[in-house]
Amino acid sequence: MTADYRLCDGPVTVYRRLKDGTVERTVHPRAFLDFDKVRSVGKTGSEDAMSFLLVVPGEADLMPGDKVLDGIGPEEVDWATLVPAAVPGLCVIRHVDPKRVGGRVCHVEAGG
């Protein structure tokens, strides 16, 4: 069985803050990034929130806390101002789930 990754047709840029405070940038040229508006209901009413699904074919080094920008982002960023409220198309990874077929990673899913 061969996986069909035709929908993984756009680039995303992943930013990671390293222990020394520098920001590492990785561009994944073939990815699928889908945003979804969800409504949560609590004791004080309901509110809208955004969730997302990122799929990167093959093995991809993604971690919770990484920030993902739809498209090819700038080479240098200010981590403190790189927040979804200020940057359209930006999301923060909350979970990472490598998917395997036959013991090999076929793609990595991430979301938040």
Side-chain angles (χ1 to χ4, degrees):
M1 177 171 88
T2 303
D4 182 358
Y5 292 109
R6 284 181 285 178
L7 293 177
C8 297
D9 62 353
V12 296
T13 305
V14 177
Y15 296 98
R16 177 179 297 159
R17 187 171 190 186
L18 304 177
K19 289 182 181 184
D20 65 2
T22 60
V23 178
E24 179 180 77
R25 172 186 179 261
T26 304
V27 175
H28 295 279
R30 291 185 56 235
F32 173 78
L33 182 59
D34 183 46
F35 296 94
D36 188 27
K37 189 175 187 179
V38 295
R39 180 167 293 233
S40 61
V41 179
K43 292 179 183 178
T44 59
S46 65
E47 65 181 13
D48 290 334
M50 294 300 290
S51 68
F52 72 94
L53 171 66
L54 171 64
V55 178
V56 179
E59 294 196 38
D61 181 21
L62 302 173
M63 295 175 52
D66 288 351
K67 297 179 181 182
V68 180
L69 183 62
D70 193 14
I72 298 177
E75 290 188 22
E76 294 185 23
V77 295
D78 175 18
W79 187 261
T81 61
L82 189 66
V83 294
V87 181
L90 181 76
C91 42
V92 180
I93 294 176
R94 299 285 179 229
H95 58 86
V96 177
D97 189 12
K99 299 297 184 180
R100 291 176 169 75
V101 172
R104 295 183 54 219
V105 173
C106 58
H107 69 265
V108 178
E109 294 180 9

